[in-house]
Amino acid sequence: MEKREQLYEGKAKILYATDDPDLLVQYFKDDATAFNRKKTGTIENKGEFNCRISTVIFRLLEREGVRTHWVKTLNDREMLVKRLTILPVEVVVRNRLAGSLAKRLGLEEGRELSRPLVEFYYKCDELDDPLMTDDQVDVLGFATGAEVAHMRTVALKVDEVLSRFFLERGIILVDYKIEFGRHKDEVLLGDEISPDSCRLWEVGTLRKLDKDRFRRDMGSVEEAYAEVLSRVET
Amino acid sequence: MEKREQLYEGKAKILYATDDPDLLVQYFKDDATAFNRKKTGTIENKGEFNCRISTVIFRLLEREGVRTHWVKTLNDREMLVKRLTILPVEVVVRNRLAGSLAKRLGLEEGRELSRPLVEFYYKCDELDDPLMTDDQVDVLGFATGAEVAHMRTVALKVDEVLSRFFLERGIILVDYKIEFGRHKDEVLLGDEISPDSCRLWEVGTLRKLDKDRFRRDMGSVEEAYAEVLSRVET
């Protein structure tokens, strides 16, 4: 496998072509952004933390029967992934109320939910990623009805697997964002799963171990990512 | 039935107690507001237009098996209604893309939808009535799961009945907002159904016959309401 030209640079990752048209290299950067690029910065070694954390998680999910874009990890910052046509919605799963949803509804953070919430948000910085109902995603053509149902099912399966996995490591999976893409005739889980895309709270102390430390200027950002990595790799 | 003290004054209506604790008088005002009171004004005779239009519509819906709060209309501006504990969500049904949804998603107005969309919005002026998914309404306790399912079913039944009714009168029912409330052990359709709460476009010309004329300063507001009344009462 030979790494070729850069195809796309996002907020936290770069995608490169390879000599195989079906495969890409996903490179993890240290760049950090929040609030749709309204806040930007760097988290030292984040690329490495997130690549290694995502590797553990994708491997676990594949073992549990979730089909992902991950093929193998090449080094501390790069993984080989299947080429996806990313669907234009972010899928958010919540186990506790936090972040944008709490704010939008004027509710307090932290409440445990009686069952996980699965939500779709239109990936559009200019519109601030608006929430969409399942029906809107389908009827307005952002994904097919079958894809919406599939994403919802996979999102809940991921939630079951990862909630247990993190809890065994003393971490509460509060919520997380995942993305999906079409690859040939399948819809695969793509992107990354890391403290950039999850809210992770330490059991007991409820100490934040995720990007909220960056978003809210709480300090000890690198330490939190390192802590997650060390718990996840054991 | 004796009308007693004022219980509540809203943007477009006033509720009065009666000598029967289960019944209220709903009075229709001429006051008009838009964008959650950011724009205010008066539409002459609106109270009368909307009371009479709502009367026709509630009577039709009751005949079609939809349970509403309407008991009888007392005069040109007042109806006797069952006392409801209003659920804190507005239910919006869309047959064509228009208004806030088009804006939020950066899409053009007017597109016909392959099937009607039913949406819930949290009734909260300060938060600008945020969209909620069905699951959010239920899990966060804004209504029970059974109530969410019931509101969705009734909303679609109302859509079927009213789309046909308006079309027979040369009007496209683009979208509308309805509200529900608990009365004893039932959830009833409440509020009003009028050009204040519906988008109504004339077949062919697509001329707007609803509150958008007020929202968007298009003029001929009273004429549009009068036009709807005259078509609806024939």
Side-chain angles (χ1 to χ4, degrees):
Chain A
M1 196 283 304
E2 192 190 306
K3 183 172 154 188
R4 295 205 173 150
E5 77 280 9
Q6 178 177 321
L7 295 178
Y8 170 81
E9 177 158 6
K11 297 178 216 171
K13 294 186 291 298
I14 302 173
L15 293 174
Y16 297 93
T18 70
D19 53 354
D20 183 335
D22 287 335
L23 298 177
L24 305 178
V25 169
Q26 173 164 276
Y27 173 90
F28 288 75
K29 301 194 290 183
D30 287 349
D31 297 351
T33 69
F35 312 116
N36 283 326
R37 298 180 201 260
K38 287 179 198 89
K39 174 171 187 157
T40 60
T42 300
I43 300 172
E44 217 170 322
N45 299 318
K46 178 171 79 79
E48 183 178 332
F49 294 139
N50 284 357
C51 183
R52 288 170 62 186
I53 293 166
S54 283
T55 296
V56 173
I57 291 176
F58 280 132
R59 188 178 280 129
L60 168 67
L61 290 173
E62 285 281 349
R63 207 160 55 223
E64 295 280 347
V66 176
R67 303 274 292 145
T68 79
H69 71 152
W70 181 77
V71 178
K72 67 177 173 189
T73 293
L74 303 169
N75 55 54
D76 278 350
R77 284 183 180 266
E78 291 182 319
M79 45 175 68
L80 189 67
V81 297
K82 291 178 184 154
R83 182 196 286 258
L84 301 183
T85 305
I86 287 286
L87 293 169
V89 288
E90 298 188 338
V91 183
V92 170
V93 183
R94 302 180 189 275
N95 297 302
R96 290 201 186 209
L97 190 58
S100 64
L101 182 61
K103 200 172 156 199
R104 287 181 69 244
L105 299 177
L107 300 172
E108 218 180 323
E109 278 204 345
R111 194 203 301 189
E112 290 181 57
L113 304 175
S114 54
R115 57 187 167 86
L117 285 173
V118 179
E119 300 158 358
F120 295 94
Y121 292 86
Y122 174 31
K123 278 167 68 80
C124 182
D125 284 357
E126 300 77 53
L127 297 169
D128 265 332
D129 297 336
L131 174 67
M132 300 182 76
T133 67
D134 292 31
D135 279 354
Q136 285 172 355
V137 174
D138 163 15
V139 168
L140 298 174
F142 288 68
T144 68
E147 285 168 340
V148 169
H150 177 73
M151 288 190 281
R152 179 171 273 279
T153 303
V154 173
L156 288 171
K157 169 74 183 178
V158 168
D159 193 51
E160 196 189 300
V161 172
L162 294 190
S163 290
R164 191 175 55 231
F165 174 79
F166 278 113
L167 201 59
E168 286 166 358
R169 284 151 185 85
I171 293 172
I172 300 164
L173 179 60
V174 171
D175 58 33
Y176 56 94
K177 183 266 292 181
I178 50 182
E179 299 189 16
F180 291 85
R182 295 175 185 142
H183 177 79
K184 300 180 178 176
D185 53 356
E186 274 191 302
V187 169
L188 303 176
L189 182 63
D191 197 43
E192 68 181 294
I193 298 184
S194 73
D196 267 18
S197 61
C198 302
R199 278 197 175 82
L200 302 168
W201 295 357
E202 187 174 48
V203 171
T205 65
L206 303 186
R207 182 166 60 107
K208 294 185 199 305
L209 298 172
D210 56 60
K211 202 167 80 174
D212 270 346
R213 300 200 75 86
F214 168 77
R215 278 190 200 96
R216 303 178 189 188
D217 297 316
M218 299 172 76
S220 303
V221 186
E222 287 82 0
E223 291 78 353
Y225 281 65
E227 172 81 27
V228 172
L229 176 62
S230 88
R231 295 201 192 193
V232 153
E233 282 191 343
T234 54
Chain B
M1 195 281 304
E2 193 190 305
K3 182 172 156 189
R4 296 205 173 151
E5 77 281 11
Q6 178 177 321
L7 294 179
Y8 169 81
E9 177 158 5
K11 296 178 218 171
K13 294 185 292 297
I14 302 173
L15 293 175
Y16 296 92
T18 70
D19 53 354
D20 182 337
D22 288 334
L23 297 176
L24 304 179
V25 169
Q26 173 165 276
Y27 173 90
F28 289 74
K29 301 195 291 182
D30 286 349
D31 297 351
T33 69
F35 312 116
N36 283 327
R37 298 180 200 260
K38 287 179 198 89
K39 175 172 188 156
T40 59
T42 300
I43 300 172
E44 218 169 322
N45 299 319
K46 178 171 79 78
E48 183 178 334
F49 294 140
N50 284 356
C51 182
R52 288 170 62 186
I53 293 167
S54 284
T55 296
V56 174
I57 290 177
F58 280 132
R59 188 178 280 131
L60 167 68
L61 290 174
E62 285 281 349
R63 207 160 54 223
E64 295 281 346
V66 175
R67 302 274 292 146
T68 79
H69 71 153
W70 181 78
V71 178
K72 66 178 173 187
T73 293
L74 303 169
N75 56 54
D76 278 349
R77 285 183 180 264
E78 292 182 319
M79 46 176 66
L80 189 66
V81 297
K82 291 179 185 155
R83 181 196 287 259
L84 300 183
T85 305
I86 287 285
L87 292 169
V89 288
E90 297 187 339
V91 183
V92 170
V93 182
R94 301 179 190 276
N95 297 302
R96 292 201 185 208
L97 190 58
S100 65
L101 182 61
K103 200 173 156 199
R104 286 182 69 244
L105 299 178
L107 300 172
E108 219 180 321
E109 278 204 345
R111 193 203 302 190
E112 289 181 57
L113 304 175
S114 55
R115 56 187 166 85
L117 284 173
V118 179
E119 299 158 0
F120 296 94
Y121 291 86
Y122 173 31
K123 277 167 68 80
C124 182
D125 284 357
E126 300 77 52
L127 297 169
D128 264 332
D129 298 336
L131 174 67
M132 299 182 76
T133 67
D134 292 31
D135 279 354
Q136 286 172 356
V137 174
D138 164 15
V139 168
L140 298 175
F142 289 69
T144 68
E147 285 168 341
V148 169
H150 176 73
M151 288 190 281
R152 179 173 274 279
T153 303
V154 173
L156 288 170
K157 170 74 183 179
V158 168
D159 193 52
E160 195 189 301
V161 172
L162 294 190
S163 290
R164 190 175 55 230
F165 174 79
F166 278 113
L167 200 59
E168 286 165 0
R169 286 152 184 83
I171 294 172
I172 299 164
L173 180 59
V174 172
D175 57 33
Y176 57 94
K177 183 266 294 181
I178 50 182
E179 299 190 16
F180 292 86
R182 296 176 186 140
H183 177 80
K184 299 181 179 176
D185 53 355
E186 274 192 301
V187 168
L188 303 176
L189 182 63
D191 197 44
E192 67 182 294
I193 298 183
S194 71
D196 266 18
S197 61
C198 302
R199 277 196 177 81
L200 302 167
W201 294 357
E202 187 174 47
V203 170
T205 65
L206 303 185
R207 182 165 60 106
K208 295 184 199 305
L209 299 172
D210 56 61
K211 203 168 77 174
D212 270 347
R213 301 200 75 86
F214 168 76
R215 279 190 200 97
R216 303 179 189 188
D217 296 316
M218 299 172 76
S220 304
V221 186
E222 287 81 1
E223 291 78 353
Y225 280 64
E227 172 81 27
V228 172
L229 176 62
S230 89
R231 295 201 191 192
V232 152
E233 282 192 343
T234 54

Coordinates of all heavy atoms in Angstrom, one line a residue, chain B residues 12-13 28-29 46-55 57-58 79 162 166 173 175-178 190-200 209-211 215 225 228-229 232:
Chain B
A12 N -52.8 35.7 21.0 CA -54.0 35.9 20.1 C -55.3 35.6 20.7 O -56.3 35.8 20.1 CB -53.8 35.1 18.9
K13 N -55.3 35.1 22.0 CA -56.6 34.7 22.6 C -56.6 35.0 24.1 O -55.5 35.1 24.7 CB -56.8 33.2 22.3 CG -57.0 32.9 20.8 CD -57.4 31.5 20.6 CE -56.3 30.5 20.8 NZ -55.1 30.6 20.0
F28 N -61.2 35.3 20.8 CA -60.2 35.5 19.8 C -59.9 37.0 19.6 O -60.8 37.8 19.3 CB -60.7 35.0 18.4 CG -60.7 33.5 18.4 CD1 -61.6 32.7 19.0 CD2 -59.7 32.8 17.6 CE1 -61.6 31.3 18.9 CE2 -59.7 31.4 17.5 CZ -60.6 30.7 18.2
K29 N -58.7 37.5 19.8 CA -58.3 38.9 19.7 C -57.8 39.3 18.3 O -57.6 38.4 17.5 CB -57.1 39.2 20.6 CG -57.3 38.9 22.1 CD -56.2 39.5 23.0 CE -54.9 38.8 22.8 NZ -53.8 39.4 23.7
K46 N -59.4 40.1 12.7 CA -58.8 38.8 12.8 C -59.5 37.9 13.8 O -59.7 36.7 13.5 CB -57.3 38.9 13.1 CG -56.6 37.5 13.2 CD -55.1 37.7 13.3 CE -54.6 38.0 14.7 NZ -54.6 36.9 15.6
G47 N -59.8 38.4 14.9 CA -60.4 37.6 16.0 C -61.7 36.9 15.4 O -61.9 35.7 15.6
E48 N -62.5 37.7 14.7 CA -63.7 37.2 14.2 C -63.4 36.1 13.1 O -64.0 35.0 13.0 CB -64.6 38.3 13.6 CG -65.9 37.8 13.1 CD -66.8 39.0 12.6 OE1 -66.7 40.1 13.1 OE2 -67.6 38.7 11.8
F49 N -62.5 36.5 12.1 CA -62.2 35.6 11.1 C -61.7 34.2 11.7 O -62.2 33.2 11.3 CB -61.0 36.1 10.2 CG -61.3 37.4 9.4 CD1 -60.4 38.4 9.3 CD2 -62.5 37.5 8.8 CE1 -60.7 39.5 8.6 CE2 -62.8 38.7 8.0 CZ -61.9 39.7 7.9
N50 N -60.8 34.3 12.6 CA -60.2 33.1 13.1 C -61.2 32.2 14.0 O -61.2 31.0 13.9 CB -58.9 33.4 14.0 CG -57.8 33.7 13.1 OD1 -57.9 33.6 11.8 ND2 -56.6 34.1 13.7
C51 N -62.1 32.9 14.7 CA -63.1 32.2 15.5 C -64.0 31.4 14.5 O -64.3 30.3 14.7 CB -63.8 33.1 16.4 SG -65.0 32.3 17.4
R52 N -64.4 32.1 13.5 CA -65.3 31.5 12.5 C -64.7 30.4 11.7 O -65.3 29.3 11.5 CB -66.0 32.6 11.6 CG -67.0 33.4 12.4 CD -67.4 34.7 11.6 NE -68.1 34.3 10.4 CZ -68.6 35.2 9.5 NH1 -68.3 36.5 9.7 NH2 -69.2 34.8 8.4
I53 N -63.4 30.6 11.3 CA -62.7 29.6 10.5 C -62.4 28.4 11.4 O -62.7 27.2 11.0 CB -61.4 30.1 10.0 CG1 -61.7 31.2 8.9 CG2 -60.5 29.0 9.4 CD1 -60.4 32.1 8.5
S54 N -62.0 28.6 12.6 CA -61.7 27.5 13.6 C -63.0 26.7 13.9 O -63.0 25.5 14.0 CB -61.2 28.0 14.9 OG -59.8 28.4 14.7
T55 N -64.1 27.4 13.9 CA -65.4 26.8 14.2 C -65.7 25.7 13.1 O -66.0 24.6 13.4 CB -66.5 27.8 14.3 OG1 -66.3 28.6 15.4 CG2 -67.9 27.1 14.4
I57 N -63.6 24.3 11.1 CA -62.6 23.3 11.1 C -62.8 22.3 12.3 O -62.8 21.1 12.1 CB -61.2 23.9 11.1 CG1 -61.0 24.5 9.7 CG2 -60.2 22.8 11.3 CD1 -59.7 25.2 9.5
F58 N -63.1 22.8 13.5 CA -63.3 21.9 14.6 C -64.5 21.1 14.4 O -64.5 19.9 14.7 CB -63.4 22.7 15.9 CG -62.1 23.2 16.5 CD1 -61.9 24.5 16.9 CD2 -61.0 22.3 16.7 CE1 -60.6 24.9 17.5 CE2 -59.8 22.6 17.2 CZ -59.6 24.0 17.6
M79 N -65.7 30.9 21.7 CA -66.2 29.6 21.7 C -66.0 29.0 23.1 O -65.2 29.3 23.8 CB -65.4 28.7 20.6 CG -63.9 28.8 20.5 SD -63.2 27.6 19.3 CE -63.8 28.2 17.8
L162 N -57.9 17.9 6.5 CA -57.8 19.3 6.1 C -57.2 19.6 4.8 O -57.6 20.5 4.1 CB -57.1 20.1 7.2 CG -57.8 20.2 8.6 CD1 -57.1 21.2 9.5 CD2 -59.2 20.5 8.5
F166 N -59.3 21.8 2.2 CA -58.8 23.1 1.7 C -58.7 23.0 0.1 O -59.0 23.9 -0.6 CB -57.5 23.5 2.3 CG -57.7 24.2 3.6 CD1 -57.3 23.6 4.8 CD2 -58.3 25.5 3.7 CE1 -57.4 24.3 6.0 CE2 -58.4 26.1 4.9 CZ -58.0 25.6 6.1
L173 N -52.9 23.3 1.7 CA -52.5 23.3 3.1 C -51.0 23.0 3.1 O -50.6 21.9 3.0 CB -53.3 22.3 3.9 CG -53.0 22.2 5.4 CD1 -53.2 23.6 6.1 CD2 -53.8 21.1 6.0
D175 N -48.5 23.9 5.5 CA -48.1 23.4 6.8 C -49.0 24.0 7.9 O -49.8 25.0 7.6 CB -46.7 23.6 7.1 CG -46.3 25.1 7.1 OD1 -47.1 26.0 7.4 OD2 -45.1 25.4 6.7
Y176 N -49.0 23.5 9.1 CA -49.8 24.1 10.2 C -49.2 23.6 11.5 O -48.5 22.7 11.6 CB -51.3 23.7 10.0 CG -51.5 22.3 10.0 CD1 -51.8 21.6 11.1 CD2 -51.4 21.6 8.8 CE1 -52.1 20.2 11.1 CE2 -51.6 20.2 8.8 CZ -52.0 19.5 9.9 OH -52.2 18.2 9.9
K177 N -49.6 24.4 12.5 CA -49.2 24.1 13.9 C -50.5 23.8 14.7 O -51.5 24.6 14.6 CB -48.5 25.4 14.5 CG -48.0 25.3 15.8 CD -48.9 25.7 16.9 CE -49.2 27.2 16.9 NZ -50.1 27.6 18.0
I178 N -50.4 22.8 15.5 CA -51.6 22.5 16.4 C -51.0 22.2 17.8 O -49.8 22.0 18.0 CB -52.4 21.2 15.9 CG1 -51.5 20.0 15.6 CG2 -53.2 21.6 14.7 CD1 -52.3 18.8 15.0
G190 N -56.4 21.1 20.9 CA -56.8 22.4 21.5 C -56.6 23.6 20.6 O -56.6 23.5 19.3
D191 N -56.4 24.8 21.2 CA -56.0 26.0 20.5 C -57.0 26.4 19.4 O -58.2 26.4 19.6 CB -54.6 25.8 20.0 CG -53.9 27.1 19.7 OD1 -54.0 28.1 20.4 OD2 -53.2 27.1 18.6
E192 N -56.4 26.7 18.2 CA -57.2 27.1 17.1 C -56.6 26.6 15.8 O -55.4 26.2 15.8 CB -57.3 28.7 17.0 CG -55.9 29.3 16.6 CD -56.0 30.8 16.6 OE1 -56.6 31.3 15.7 OE2 -55.3 31.4 17.4
I193 N -57.3 26.5 14.7 CA -56.8 26.2 13.4 C -57.3 27.3 12.5 O -58.5 27.4 12.2 CB -57.2 24.8 13.0 CG1 -56.6 23.8 13.9 CG2 -56.6 24.6 11.5 CD1 -56.9 22.3 13.5
S194 N -56.4 28.1 12.0 CA -56.8 29.4 11.3 C -55.6 29.8 10.5 O -54.5 29.3 10.6 CB -57.1 30.4 12.4 OG -55.9 30.9 13.0
P195 N -55.8 30.9 9.7 CA -54.6 31.5 9.0 C -53.5 32.0 9.9 O -52.4 32.2 9.4 CB -55.2 32.6 8.2 CG -56.7 32.3 8.0 CD -57.0 31.6 9.3
D196 N -53.7 32.1 11.2 CA -52.6 32.4 12.1 C -51.7 31.2 12.3 O -50.5 31.3 12.5 CB -53.2 32.7 13.5 CG -53.4 34.2 13.7 OD1 -53.4 35.0 12.7 OD2 -53.5 34.7 14.8
S197 N -52.3 30.0 12.2 CA -51.5 28.8 12.5 C -51.3 27.9 11.4 O -50.6 26.8 11.5 CB -52.3 28.0 13.6 OG -53.6 27.6 13.1
C198 N -51.8 28.2 10.2 CA -51.6 27.4 9.0 C -50.9 28.3 7.9 O -51.1 29.5 7.8 CB -52.9 27.0 8.3 SG -54.0 26.1 9.4
R199 N -50.1 27.6 7.0 CA -49.7 28.3 5.8 C -50.7 27.8 4.7 O -50.8 26.6 4.5 CB -48.3 27.9 5.3 CG -47.3 28.8 6.0 CD -45.9 28.7 5.3 NE -45.0 29.6 6.1 CZ -44.4 29.3 7.2 NH1 -44.5 28.1 7.7 NH2 -43.7 30.3 7.8
L200 N -51.4 28.7 4.0 CA -52.4 28.4 3.1 C -52.1 29.2 1.8 O -51.9 30.4 1.8 CB -53.8 28.9 3.6 CG -54.2 28.3 4.9 CD1 -55.4 29.0 5.5 CD2 -54.5 26.8 4.8
L209 N -52.3 33.1 1.7 CA -53.5 33.5 2.4 C -53.4 33.3 3.9 O -54.4 32.8 4.5 CB -54.7 32.7 1.8 CG -54.9 32.8 0.3 CD1 -55.9 31.8 -0.2 CD2 -55.4 34.3 -0.1
D210 N -52.3 33.7 4.5 CA -52.1 33.4 5.9 C -51.2 34.4 6.5 O -50.9 35.4 5.9 CB -51.5 32.0 6.0 CG -50.2 32.0 5.1 OD1 -49.3 32.8 5.4 OD2 -50.1 31.2 4.2
K211 N -50.8 34.2 7.7 CA -50.1 35.1 8.5 C -48.7 35.5 8.0 O -48.1 36.5 8.4 CB -49.9 34.6 10.0 CG -49.6 35.8 11.0 CD -49.7 35.4 12.4 CE -48.5 34.6 12.9 NZ -48.6 34.4 14.4
R215 N -46.2 38.6 8.7 CA -44.8 38.4 9.0 C -43.8 39.0 8.0 O -42.8 39.6 8.4 CB -44.4 36.8 9.0 CG -44.8 36.0 10.1 CD -44.2 34.6 10.1 NE -45.0 33.7 10.9 CZ -45.9 32.9 10.5 NH1 -46.3 32.9 9.2 NH2 -46.6 32.2 11.4
Y225 N -57.3 36.9 5.1 CA -58.1 36.1 6.1 C -59.6 36.1 5.7 O -60.2 35.1 5.8 CB -57.9 36.8 7.5 CG -56.7 36.5 8.2 CD1 -55.4 36.9 7.7 CD2 -56.7 35.8 9.4 CE1 -54.2 36.6 8.4 CE2 -55.5 35.5 10.1 CZ -54.3 35.9 9.6 OH -53.1 35.6 10.3
V228 N -60.1 33.4 3.0 CA -60.1 32.1 3.6 C -61.5 31.8 4.2 O -62.1 30.8 4.0 CB -59.0 31.9 4.6 CG1 -59.1 30.5 5.3 CG2 -57.6 31.9 3.9
L229 N -61.9 32.8 5.0 CA -63.2 32.6 5.7 C -64.3 32.4 4.7 O -65.1 31.4 4.8 CB -63.6 33.9 6.5 CG -64.9 33.8 7.2 CD1 -65.0 32.7 8.2 CD2 -65.3 35.1 7.9
V232 N -64.1 28.9 3.2 CA -64.2 27.8 4.2 C -65.7 27.7 4.6 O -66.2 26.6 4.9 CB -63.3 28.2 5.4 CG1 -63.9 27.6 6.7 CG2 -61.9 27.7 5.2

